[in-house]
Amino acid sequence: MSESTDPAGQIAAGYAFTGPALDLGALLWDGACLPDRQIRIPLSMLNRHGLVAGATGTGKTKTLQLIAEQLSHHGVPVFLADIKGDVSGISAPGTANAKTEERAEDVAQEWQPAGYPAEFYSLGGIGPGIPLRATVTSFGPVLMSKVLQLNQTQEQSLGLIFHYADSKGLELIDLKDLRAVVAFLVSDKGKAELKGIGGLSTVTAGVILRALTAFEQQGAAEFFGEPEFDTGEFLRTAADGRGTVSVLELPAVQDKPQLFSTFLMWLLADLYTDLPEVGDLDRPKLVFFFDEAHLLFNGASKAFLDAITQTVRLIRSKGIGVFFVTQTPKDVPGDVLAQLGNRVQHALRAFTPDDAKALKATVKTFPNSGYDLEELLTQLGTGEAVITVLSENGAPTPVAATRLRAPQSLMGPIDAAALEQAVKGSLLYSRYAEPVDRESAYEKISAEQAAAEAEAEAAAAAAAAEKQAKEAQKAARSAPKPDPSLAQQVVGSGLFRSLARSVGTQLGREISRSIFGTARRRR
């Protein structure tokens, strides 16, 4: 049968790219795996974003690992969020076994164990990894509103608070800075500060402060502060030219899904802000895998969804590719899903009416194909997926059921001692490990309040002293004069003064005679 009349050949022809490409696996057609019909994705199209979806246990994590390995091999840095703690094995060579050998034979893969250059990070130092921290200012009011679960009105008020802090030079570095500014703006002294631009109600301030308290109780205070992580570190390559795989270890914060998903959005937004426009490249600068993506969109405000959509749409021109990883495409808003040109869809379940509805919705997101996708997607085995990507000219490739290759690195976590050694041996550890708490909004407001209190105390003390002195003077003026003593009465009498004059005169005469030698007159 010629390729023009062979459906499998027609599908495979859509993946016969001339430039560098990642090898995903071999085509599945009519119940058979065809090792000579390879399914690939052009390296130049990895900045056009993608989606890896599928039910739990269908092999999404291994797909991430497979793509990350090949990107690293081609010199492209990768960022991976390790939700369950089993991606750290990408740094160590895999172990051959019967399953990998069988898979390699099925898909015509020359499997060789290989580890890849990796850096390990943690959110704020919770768990193993180099701490990733952000300042509250750089996180911004929209993302902060998301993690604080504020409504639209409260989000707008938080925006005013950020604006005020910025205009007054009050650095919002950690959560206590934000708390201090909110408390100040509803104090007697601070109420007038926002009056001209709408003000901050005491009720809204109370909601924000309570949300901050709950946020801190989840351990979030560790994530905000300095030194703030430079997201440009994710763009590094190893000495041998392979791209560095940055693995964010998240098992220690699995119970805070909204926090880590929003924090990942900050990383992406920060990269977008810092990087220059580069247009289409022959290979991306970085490919960012956003695991558990549905957590990012749950309960999100319109402003937050708009920010995500804009970032995803525009960051392609910065050379960044983003892959969202979730269970079904319907977990991703339509405006975002429309930006995802590369699709790897693992098996879906149809055990409930909701499952069946999700399955039908997923099928509608794929181009027309020769497969019965609704049936196929429920029958795929672990490590198999339905794939369509963008060709080198930007057109969608034919839908291809694929048996995926096996990762060459360790399919599981490395041991804790090796992970700790890798973290502390990194050149970045000394730069980011120790937190720094410099003067910021909290200290400035506290200092002003302390100075105002000291001034008020000094003024009160001075007023009290002046009052006491006036009272003493008044008491002295109104007090009765004491009676003279007997001696004072005698000395002050007229008889005493007359006698004193007489004695004085007689005594003076006697002294004069003795001094000048004169004698008394004789009578």
Side-chain angles (χ1 to χ4, degrees):
M1 184 182 296
S2 67
E3 189 172 277
S4 61
T5 57
D6 174 16
Q10 291 175 355
I11 294 172
Y15 293 86
F17 310 122
T18 58
L22 309 186
D23 295 309
L24 298 180
L27 180 68
L28 290 171
W29 181 258
D30 199 20
C33 182
L34 309 177
D36 58 331
R37 307 292 173 87
Q38 291 292 306
I39 305 303
R40 310 161 74 216
I41 179 171
L43 190 59
S44 60
M45 290 292 110
L46 266 298
N47 70 331
R48 299 299 180 94
H49 312 321
L51 175 73
V52 178
T56 301
T58 56
K60 296 191 300 294
T61 301
K62 299 301 179 286
T63 299
L64 301 188
Q65 197 167 339
L66 172 66
I67 297 175
E69 289 177 354
Q70 295 191 59
L71 286 168
S72 175
H73 175 75
H74 283 281
V76 178
V78 177
F79 178 93
L80 289 173
D82 188 6
I83 304 294
K84 299 182 291 293
D86 53 4
V87 183
S88 60
I90 199 168
S91 63
T95 303
N97 55 45
K99 287 186 177 180
T100 58
E101 291 175 359
E102 181 182 359
R103 177 59 62 103
E105 184 178 354
D106 284 348
V107 300
Q109 178 185 9
E110 295 181 5
W111 190 91
Q112 294 291 333
Y116 296 83
E119 294 277 9
F120 299 97
Y121 300 96
S122 65
L123 286 186
I126 296 181
I130 298 164
L132 296 184
R133 299 185 185 89
T135 63
V136 170
T137 293
S138 69
F139 208 71
V142 173
L143 289 178
M144 186 62 73
S145 297
K146 163 71 172 170
V147 295
L148 296 181
Q149 299 182 332
L150 304 181
N151 63 29
Q152 185 177 5
T153 300
Q154 294 155 358
E155 181 178 328
Q156 292 169 350
S157 295
L158 190 61
L160 285 178
I161 293 165
F162 273 71
H163 170 75
Y164 170 79
D166 183 59
S167 64
K168 296 297 183 180
L170 297 172
E171 297 88 348
L172 299 178
I173 293 176
D174 51 28
L175 292 181
K176 71 178 185 296
D177 291 325
L178 181 56
R179 179 187 295 279
V181 173
V182 175
F184 170 73
L185 289 174
V186 291
S187 67
D188 292 338
K189 184 178 180 181
K191 281 181 181 178
E193 295 288 337
L194 293 181
K195 190 173 182 180
I197 52 175
L200 176 66
S201 75
T202 303
V203 173
T204 298
V207 171
I208 294 172
L209 290 173
R210 287 192 296 274
L212 283 171
T213 299
F215 196 35
E216 288 173 315
Q217 288 174 347
Q218 295 179 15
E222 300 288 339
F223 308 134
F224 295 94
E226 291 182 322
E228 183 172 69
F229 187 77
D230 179 2
T231 52
E233 305 284 9
F234 296 144
L235 304 178
R236 296 184 303 130
T237 55
D240 61 4
R242 291 184 298 171
T244 298
V245 181
S246 298
V247 182
L248 179 59
E249 293 292 333
L250 292 169
V253 290
Q254 282 191 76
D255 58 337
K256 307 172 184 65
Q258 191 172 50
L259 173 63
F260 70 68
S261 65
T262 310
F263 200 92
L264 292 180
M265 192 61 211
W266 169 79
L267 295 177
L268 194 61
D270 194 69
L271 282 166
Y272 168 73
T273 301
D274 291 348
L275 292 175
E277 295 278 342
V278 293
D280 290 325
L281 302 173
D282 59 353
R283 66 186 64 201
K285 287 186 175 182
L286 172 73
V287 176
F288 191 102
F289 288 92
F290 214 129
D291 203 0
E292 300 293 341
H294 63 283
L295 300 172
L296 179 67
F297 304 107
N298 286 349
S301 67
K302 184 179 184 301
F304 183 73
L305 291 176
D306 289 345
I308 295 175
T309 304
Q310 181 182 25
T311 300
V312 172
R313 181 183 297 119
L314 299 179
I315 204 170
R316 178 185 68 80
S317 63
K318 305 292 184 89
I320 305 297
V322 182
F323 273 71
F324 291 94
V325 185
T326 189
Q327 294 194 1
T328 72
K330 72 181 183 64
D331 293 333
V332 181
D335 288 344
V336 177
L337 191 63
Q339 308 298 317
L340 312 182
N342 302 301
R343 307 281 294 279
V344 180
Q345 177 67 58
H346 288 267
L348 290 173
R349 311 300 181 212
F351 299 141
T352 69
D354 286 343
D355 291 342
K357 186 177 179 180
L359 176 60
K360 290 181 181 295
T362 299
V363 170
K364 291 179 180 178
T365 64
F366 281 89
N368 292 331
S369 73
Y371 296 98
D372 181 350
L373 289 181
E374 193 167 334
E375 181 180 357
L376 177 62
L377 286 173
T378 62
Q379 296 178 351
L380 290 171
T382 301
E384 296 177 347
V386 171
I387 293 174
T388 180
V389 301
L390 294 179
S391 65
E392 291 167 311
N393 62 9
T397 60
V399 175
T402 307
R403 180 163 295 165
L404 297 165
R405 293 186 170 213
Q408 294 179 301
S409 57
L410 183 64
M411 289 188 280
I414 59 175
D415 62 68
L419 179 56
E420 183 178 5
Q421 183 179 1
V423 171
K424 294 187 175 179
S426 170
L427 296 176
L428 300 180
Y429 185 78
S430 60
R431 192 179 307 170
Y432 295 106
E434 291 299 322
V436 176
D437 189 11
R438 65 181 175 91
E439 184 185 58
S440 50
Y442 172 79
E443 288 78 12
K444 290 179 180 179
I445 291 175
S446 297
E448 288 181 5
Q449 289 176 340
E453 289 174 2
E455 184 179 347
E457 288 177 1
E466 183 179 357
K467 181 179 179 182
Q468 188 176 5
K470 288 180 179 179
E471 289 177 350
Q473 291 176 358
K474 182 178 179 181
R477 287 195 299 268
S478 61
K481 295 182 179 179
D483 294 334
S485 64
L486 179 60
Q488 290 174 325
Q489 293 178 18
V490 172
V491 171
S493 66
L495 178 61
F496 181 82
R497 289 195 295 271
S498 177
L499 180 60
R501 285 195 298 270
S502 176
V503 171
T505 302
Q506 186 65 27
L507 181 59
R509 290 174 181 168
E510 292 297 325
I511 293 173
S512 298
R513 291 189 184 116
S514 64
I515 293 175
F516 297 107
T518 57
R520 290 183 183 179
R521 293 181 181 177
R522 292 184 182 181
R523 292 176 185 252

